Every structure is written in C-alpha cells, then in structure tokens.
Amino acid sequence: MDLNGLITQLEQMPSRPVIGLALAGGSAYGIAHIGVLRYLEEISMPIDLIAGTSAGAAAGAVWASGFSSEAMYEIVKSTDWWFLAKPVAFKSGLMSSKGIADWINRLIGSKDFVELNKPFAATATNFATGELVVLKEGSVAEAVRISCSLPGIYQPVEYNGLQLVDGGLVQNLPVGVCRSLGADFVIAVDLHANLESKKPRTVMLSLIHAGNILQRQHELVQVQLADVVIQPQLGRLNPFNFRAVDKYVDLGYAAAQSAADQLKQMITQILQHQHSNPN
C-alpha cells in the first residue's frame, strides 16, 4: 500500500498511538524545518505533539500556533534577521536574546503554551548544573528565546531563579523530550547529518564546527531513539546564512520525501499492532 493509503488508515484508527515531532537546533539550518513541515502537510501526516531545540523551538512554536509551512516560508523570506544581534554590555554574553522573544510575540501574539494548537515543549540547559530543562508552561516566546540563547553569544536568561541557555548543549535533537511528553512514536529532524561535507574556512566557523562535533555525539544517541529520522543534507551551507531560504527549504523537503519508506514502515508497524491487539 502507498503512503497516502497507510496514512488514511492511520487516521481512521479509533485509538492510535501518539506521534511526536522532534525538531533539532542548528541556527539558519533550522529553516530546513519548513521544507519538512511542507511535506508532512502535503501527505497529511498526523502530528500530535512537538519538541524543539533552539531554531527547532522557533519553528515548532510557530507551527504549533497554527501557521502553515507556506506562511512560515513567507515569514522567513521577508524577515530582517538583525534583531538576532542586539548588543549588550554584559560580561556573560555579547548580545541580548530579547529580540527573539519580541519576534515570536509579533508572529503568534503573546501566547502561553496552553493556547497553542498542539502540545509543544522547548529545551533549555541549566547553565549552573548542565541539566536539561523542559519548558512547557508560561510564555511561548520566552521559552523560544531561552532555547535559542547560545552561551557566549547571548547572555543567559533568568527563569524561575535559574540561569538558562540554549537546550542544544544537552539535547539538540529532542527525541527524549518527545517521549517524555507522551509520544509513542517520534519523527526526528536531524540537521547535522553531514558535518564533514563542509570544511570551515574561518576561526569562528572552526570553533562552531568543533562545537558541532561535540554536540553530534549527543545527537547520535537521540537518533537511535527515533522511529523516523529525516536528515537534510546541509553540510555545504553556512549555518549563519539566513538568506539561503530556498536552498534550506528545498533540502528539508527533499529529505522528508526520502524518508517516505521510513514513514511507511512506522505506520505499518502501528497498524499491524492494532490488528493483533484490537482492544
């Protein structure tokens, strides 16, 4: 049976498992999530909850608030990204991440998590202890801001008495968070699948690449926990080139298409389990 037929059967199940979507962080690479979402919308793939880290938190929050992938595409095409670079005089970071929260608020309004169309969570890191913090209550925009606050670049954000920073330090691909939220099956979008394809040519890019290598070890653990892994081939693109929107979106869409067999296998497994356990 083709994928569309399987999805139709999945949607017709009287009681089906919870399907989660884990969106990885990756600066401008996160724009590729729009292409993945476009494909999932086209095939009407049911998604029950979302977890995102950093750029994945931004994409997940906007999608969970009801924006279509096409609307998200138009937003990123027209966005002036200078709001990401608001300088501050603090020793703990070069810039303030407040502009990120302001941007999310302008897009979706001052929403709390309970007002979203789908359950959503953003990851953060306790900068004092290195522990994972899952943000799923209160202001969505503030949660996205925290999840995007890469230490050294952005100053830590105080939240409930904690100093929090980018969740990518501990779970950049938040499959485990999806599971903790109640997902029985998880579709993961992994943005660092081919790091080796681009050689860094500046000191800054070399430092970022070194950080990505360390981060990759955590991501590979999360990959093993996912049922479907979508891996856009982004390694030859600059992770800070926010103007390459079409390239990112096209690569995200192509990667999602390439994962069709994985989706078919996951749905077939769900349907077979239902048939063998009708009650």
Side-chain angles (χ1 to χ4, degrees), residues 198-213:
K198 183 176 177 65
K199 295 180 180 179
R201 299 183 182 276
T202 67
V203 172
M204 179 60 72
L205 288 176
S206 293
L207 290 171
I208 292 167
H209 189 70
N212 287 340
I213 290 171

Side-chain angles (χ1 to χ4, degrees), residues 19-32:
I19 299 173
L21 180 64
L23 301 176
S27 299
Y29 283 176
I31 297 171

Side-chain angles (χ1 to χ4, degrees), residues 181-251:
L181 294 175
D184 302 299
F185 292 83
V186 178
I187 300 168
V189 186
D190 172 22
L191 301 180
H192 292 138
N194 66 330
L195 288 173
E196 72 282 356
S197 66
K198 183 176 177 65
K199 295 180 180 179
R201 299 183 182 276
T202 67
V203 172
M204 179 60 72
L205 288 176
S206 293
L207 290 171
I208 292 167
H209 189 70
N212 287 340
I213 290 171
L214 293 171
Q215 191 179 65
R216 189 64 186 152
Q217 305 313 306
H218 297 285
E219 290 176 332
L220 290 173
V221 173
Q222 296 298 309
V223 163
Q224 297 302 312
L225 298 176
D227 300 282
V228 174
V229 183
I230 298 172
Q231 297 179 310
Q233 300 300 292
L234 307 171
R236 294 190 178 279
L237 298 176
N238 185 328
F240 294 100
N241 180 10
F242 286 88
R243 297 183 182 276
V245 172
D246 290 304
K247 289 182 179 179
Y248 290 126
V249 172
D250 289 347
L251 288 169

Side-chain angles (χ1 to χ4, degrees), residues 79-131:
T79 293
D80 179 354
W81 297 99
W82 285 108
F83 71 84
L84 294 173
K86 183 178 180 181
V88 293
F90 295 93
K91 294 181 180 180
S92 56
L94 299 174
M95 294 181 285
S96 167
S97 56
K98 183 177 182 298
I100 298 172
D102 292 342
W103 180 62
I104 295 293
N105 274 330
R106 285 196 299 272
L107 292 177
I108 70 172
S110 301
K111 282 189 168 70
D112 279 8
F113 280 83
V114 293
E115 298 177 271
L116 296 175
N117 293 0
K118 297 178 186 289
F120 165 72
T123 68
T125 303
N126 183 328
F127 204 34
T129 65
E131 294 176 313

